[in-house]
Amino acid sequence: MSTIENIPYDELVIGQKASYSHTVTDEDIILFAKLSGDTNPVHLDEEYAATTQFGGRIAHGMLTGALISAAVALNMPGPGTIYLGQTMRFRAPVRIGDTLTVNMELTTKNDKRKIVTLDIVVVNQNGDKVVTGESTALAPTEKIICQAQELPKITLG
């Protein structure tokens, strides 16, 4: 089993960068719809979605938001981080099969409160920006190394 580790507040440096990637699947979209209750047909019904401006199904915008949260929680600052806020501007649709990369750059540090701000740019496999924004988080002050959690297989039926 693999481990994950954080970057404690005192080790974070303005301009520091990290990234996180994930390929969006049909299963991701269905599970996100189930979890969120958002069953908008543009996400789930190919026939309907084909009649929209997108010409086919697209992923939920907040699914991309969840990937940003994962990037902050797993990569920078990492385990022990408390997410405080997120702004997002949706710039292009995300489709099944897109590989999204969340690129983060540390832009500010608040030494008194141990809060960091990260500039966020999410791109697809073609380099197209799909989301831009900013995350704020309370960074951990102690080093944490822990086992990566293995998630159970979920079968759709």
Side-chain angles (χ1 to χ4, degrees):
M1 185 176 271
S2 63
T3 60
I4 53 175
E5 62 184 84
N6 68 1
I7 306 168
Y9 182 84
D10 289 339
E11 294 178 22
L12 291 165
V13 178
I14 302 295
Q16 190 168 352
K17 297 178 180 181
S19 63
Y20 174 85
S21 295
H22 177 82
T23 300
V24 176
T25 66
D26 179 58
E27 185 175 68
D28 291 336
I29 294 171
I30 293 168
L31 289 170
F32 194 86
K34 176 67 175 166
L35 177 66
S36 68
D38 181 352
T39 58
N40 183 332
V42 75
H43 306 306
L44 303 171
D45 182 338
E46 185 61 49
E47 187 175 314
Y48 168 79
T51 69
T52 70
Q53 65 189 19
F54 303 111
R57 288 174 59 201
I58 61 170
H60 302 76
M62 294 311 294
L63 176 58
T64 304
L67 295 176
I68 296 169
S69 177
V72 172
L74 297 174
N75 291 12
M76 187 169 73
T81 299
I82 303 299
Y83 216 94
L84 298 176
Q86 176 70 49
T87 62
M88 290 185 287
R89 182 167 181 214
F90 300 102
R91 299 163 89 35
V94 172
R95 301 182 185 282
I96 295 166
D98 280 353
T99 297
L100 301 182
T101 300
V102 178
N103 295 303
M104 304 176 288
E105 181 175 354
L106 184 71
T107 56
T108 66
K109 290 177 70 174
N110 178 323
D111 290 337
K112 183 177 180 183
R113 299 183 68 204
K114 308 300 187 224
I115 293 173
V116 297
T117 304
L118 302 161
D119 182 59
I120 304 292
V121 178
V122 183
V123 296
N124 65 17
Q125 66 281 357
N126 301 318
D128 300 326
K129 292 179 184 177
V130 298
V131 172
T132 58
E134 186 177 86
S135 296
T136 56
L138 179 62
T141 57
E142 310 258 334
K143 185 69 169 176
I144 299 171
I145 301 172
C146 57
Q147 296 293 319
Q149 296 296 308
E150 200 168 313
L151 297 175
K153 175 104 174 100
I154 298 172
T155 305
L156 299 176

